[in-house]
């Protein structure tokens, strides 16, 4: 009896079809604003780029990511994302997600997307970015290793902006190769610095250690504390004072670190006040500028940037994009 024929070998020429993308509500839309700004990479300035302005959900990581992607796109490169926004006055969430997904899979942001275990997992993650993203800010970097192409300083003897715990969400967000940073940092050598270094190197660590405060205080009243317990209780008080003094999740020291370590002309995403914003360091003035995405300024073409020069925004100024 003749053996049945072998099944055909898999061909690399025709990759397997991608898994179906989750069904989403496409009724949500984002307004699009065309900004005129000075891009030092462009042969001709000013340059016109489309950006998203906030919708009813307010500032979110998806909006900051999309705007960072459009502004960091080289002036002589056409992408599906830029073309999708340039040709419209508003865009549905569904169409926007498709364009962002295509941007990643195009390979222009590197080949990191090819190593993801599940394409549908990434697309599902993009959907959740519409409403927010859980992050755990670290007060000290986990190591000196940085991704290739990161425009931030890479020398170990230089200061680095705040990083985040390496969660699944951070890994997926990192596939776009846009730095996500914060300036919620204690000044080196300060009491807060040493207390956080000893007891809580991330925000979640601090929240967990706070649960022990009441127990330690009760033990202090009834039987006394050991040397180690007394040190932990003192650290808790110091850390709480640090949080109260940095209510905007940005310190003066952290702002200085971001300013000096961010390369002129580069784009990053700043986490501050539980919000995400697109950050740009002007190549000539060396100022830190946040992209203005408030709906109230959508009709004001002359308002593009807001300066980031203090932790509370008391001295912030608005700028046009072509200065």
């Amino acid at each position: 009896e003749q053996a049945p024929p072998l099944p055909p070998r898999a061909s690399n020429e025709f990759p397997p079809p991608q898994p179906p993308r989750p069904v989403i509500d496409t009724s949500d839309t984002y307004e699009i604003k065309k900004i005129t700004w000075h891009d030092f990479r462009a042969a001709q300035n000013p340059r016109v780029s489309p950006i998203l302005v906030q919708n009813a959900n307010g500032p979110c990581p998806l909006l900051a990511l999309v705007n960072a992607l459009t502004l960091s796109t080289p002036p002589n490169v056409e992408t599906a994302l830029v073309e999708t926004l340039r040709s419209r006055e508003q865009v549905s969430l569904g169409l926007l997600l498709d364009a962002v997904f295509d941007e990643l899979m195009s390979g222009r942001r590197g080949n990191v997307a090819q190593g993801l275990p599940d394409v549908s997992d990434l697309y599902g993650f993009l959907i959740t970015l519409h409403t927010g993203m859980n992050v755990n800010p670290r007060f000290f970097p986990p190591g000196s290793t940085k991704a290739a192409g990161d425009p931030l300083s890479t020398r170990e003897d230089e200061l680095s902006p705040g990083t985040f715990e390496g969660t699944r969400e951070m890994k997926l967000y990192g596939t776009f190769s846009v730095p996500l940073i914060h300036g919620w940092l204690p000044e080196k050598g300060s009491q807060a610095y040493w207390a956080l270094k000893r007891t809580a190197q991330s925000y979640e660590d601090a929240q967990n250690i706070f649960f022990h405060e009441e127990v330690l205080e009760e033990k202090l009243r009834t039987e006394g504390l050991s040397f180690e317990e007394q040190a932990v209780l003192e650290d808790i008080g110091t850390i709480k004072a640090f949080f109260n003094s940095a209510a905007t999740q940005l310190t003066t020291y952290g702002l200085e670190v971001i300013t000096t370590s961010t390369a002129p002309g580069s784009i990053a995403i700043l986490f501050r006040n539980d919000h995400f914003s697109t950050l740009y360091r002007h190549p000539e003035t060396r100022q830190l500028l946040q992209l203005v995405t408030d709906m109230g300024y959508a009709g004001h073409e002359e308002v593009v940037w807001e300066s980031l020069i203090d932790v509370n925004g008391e001295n912030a100024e608005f700028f046009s994009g072509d200065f």
Side-chain angles (χ1 to χ4, degrees), residues 24-263:
I24 62 173
D25 180 9
T26 59
S27 60
D28 289 331
T29 59
Y30 286 93
E31 298 293 325
I32 298 170
K33 176 181 179 179
K34 310 299 191 302
I35 65 167
T36 302
W37 64 296
H38 179 83
D39 185 353
F40 77 102
R41 303 165 302 173
Q44 293 183 340
N45 273 299
R47 178 184 177 188
V48 178
S49 296
I51 65 167
L52 299 179
V53 295
Q54 69 183 45
N55 62 3
N57 287 328
C60 72
L62 178 62
L63 180 143
L65 175 62
V66 168
N67 289 337
L69 291 175
T70 58
L71 295 183
S72 62
T73 299
N76 59 339
V77 174
E78 295 293 331
T79 68
L81 177 60
V82 172
E83 187 56 35
T84 296
L85 301 183
R86 181 184 294 154
S87 59
R88 292 170 172 81
E89 294 184 355
Q90 61 178 218
V91 62
S92 68
L93 176 60
L95 187 58
L96 177 64
L97 290 176
D98 283 340
V100 172
F101 189 82
D102 290 341
E103 168 80 4
L104 177 61
M105 300 308 292
S106 69
R108 197 179 68 78
R109 299 277 164 181
N111 295 321
V112 287
Q114 308 304 320
L116 293 174
D118 190 348
V119 174
S120 61
D121 190 35
L122 175 61
Y123 196 81
F125 168 71
L126 290 176
I127 295 175
T128 64
L129 287 184
H130 172 54
T131 54
M133 182 174 75
N134 292 324
V135 293
N136 180 21
R138 292 185 57 91
F139 305 113
F140 306 93
S144 59
T145 303
K146 294 188 177 182
D150 193 330
L152 304 177
S153 299
T154 56
R155 284 172 47 190
E156 292 185 12
D157 60 334
E158 290 186 351
L159 302 176
S160 297
T163 59
F164 301 85
E165 199 68 38
T167 61
R168 166 188 167 275
E169 290 177 314
M170 282 300 300
K171 178 183 177 183
L172 292 171
Y173 204 79
T175 59
F176 290 93
S177 301
V178 178
L180 174 59
I181 61 176
H182 72 83
W184 199 7
L185 301 174
E187 185 171 1
K188 282 190 175 183
S190 65
Q191 287 187 328
Y193 176 91
W194 292 117
L196 289 165
K197 191 80 170 178
R198 286 189 296 263
T199 311
Q201 297 208 4
S202 73
Y203 175 75
E204 288 188 4
D205 287 345
Q207 297 305 303
N208 291 334
I209 201 68
F210 289 164
F211 287 120
H212 298 286
E213 182 179 28
E214 187 175 343
V215 175
L216 290 173
E217 288 179 339
E218 178 62 25
K219 187 177 180 181
L220 176 63
R221 286 191 295 268
T222 57
E223 57 184 283
L225 299 176
S226 67
F227 177 80
E228 292 78 9
E229 290 171 332
Q230 182 66 41
V232 170
L233 186 59
E234 291 176 359
D235 282 348
I236 290 175
T238 301
I239 294 170
K240 280 193 167 183
F242 169 73
F243 283 174
N244 290 334
S245 68
T248 62
Q249 298 172 334
L250 178 68
T251 65
T252 300
Y253 173 75
L255 181 57
E256 292 174 356
V257 170
I258 292 175
T259 303
T260 56
S261 61
T262 303

